[in-house]
Amino acid sequence: MALGWTSSNPLVLHGRHFGRTVFALCNYPALLTAGILRLEELQDSPIEDYPADVRREHRVFMHLIESYPGLLDRLTTGEDEDVIHLGELLGKGASGARGDDTKTLKSAVLDWLVPRGQVVIPPLSRNIKSDRGFNHEITGALLCPAGLDWSNTATKLSLKSGETAVRGDQWPMFLYARYDYDPEDPWKGLLRSDILIFGFKHVFTSPSSVDKDPKATRSGNAYLHGMKSVTKGSLAYIATQVRFSLSSSSVFSRTDTVTDSENFYHSILDLLEDPDESEEVVDLMMWWTRRIFPNSSSSQRDISKDSALSKIRAKRAALQARVNVNTT
């Protein structure tokens, strides 16, 4: 099977968007290989019999083959090395996009740390990250785990020295609106901060859209891929990228135990995919889509009062109510 490695290869391009919006941190050759084998196994046993991590992996696999016409046929008719190669092309796209975003966000995030017109003191380098993370007052406050008090000198020193190790599932303050965490209501403001919105616009609707009204520009990744709503994967991805950009780590690595990025990414996805949290998650995703894609039908905007459409809906609802009464 002759497949090129160029960045314009359709599978590479698909991998770029898939990694950003569905699942960023995975081994694509292994995902495809295991997915094909599992399709055969599922003829005899339901997916519900598998562990949670395998069920998620299978959902990702099914999403992948459904989002790329003809991929399943190529996987099932090709040789083992063809499957590996297809996975490598997808992985090349996903890792390439992640690298590009990491590079541009490293500089861009510095413009979002303080309100416009104010300056970061002491100043931070756009090219060197060693003075970020818990080494700086502002980035330290944003990365401080919710529930810990950054203003406490002992806490600050412990975080800075590494004595207090921060795991990926200890979510930082920057995830919260106005960087305000309520331990009595941990959902309040979660994943609704300005810095996340800026990061999302930077990656998906174009860097120039950060300071403008939400609109997917023709050159933006969202427009190029027909993206009209914010996905759970894209929200977890941006949170992970912004977290890394604030850190002092210089190289993004899935296995980096200091930033623990993979654990962080999965912990966000775990929450967003938890059926028990569906009410809050649906509200959150609608909130995001309205802010990033306000003209999308996915935003389900409120109908204007006294409009013809509102009167049609009201009349239909009244008619349905009478029918329900008559049938009970």
Side-chain angles (χ1 to χ4, degrees), residues 30 55 77 108 142 149 162 219 221 258 267 276 317:
R55 294 200 300 272
T77 58
L142 294 176
D149 183 6
S219 60
N221 292 307
V258 176
S267 70
D276 293 335

Side-chain angles (χ1 to χ4, degrees), residues 53-70:
D53 58 334
V54 177
R55 294 200 300 272
R56 168 184 282 172
E57 181 182 287
H58 191 67
R59 287 198 302 272
V60 172
F61 172 74
M62 293 303 297
H63 194 137
L64 178 58
I65 61 175
E66 289 167 2
S67 64
Y68 195 90

Side-chain angles (χ1 to χ4, degrees), residues 141-144 172-177 179 193-196 238-240 242-244 246 264:
L142 294 176
L143 288 172
C144 182
M173 290 298 297
F174 82 80
L175 293 184
Y176 284 88
Y179 313 133
S193 65
D194 286 344
I195 199 169
L196 282 180
I238 291 301
T240 303
V242 171
R243 178 174 177 267
F244 180 77
L246 293 170
F264 174 79

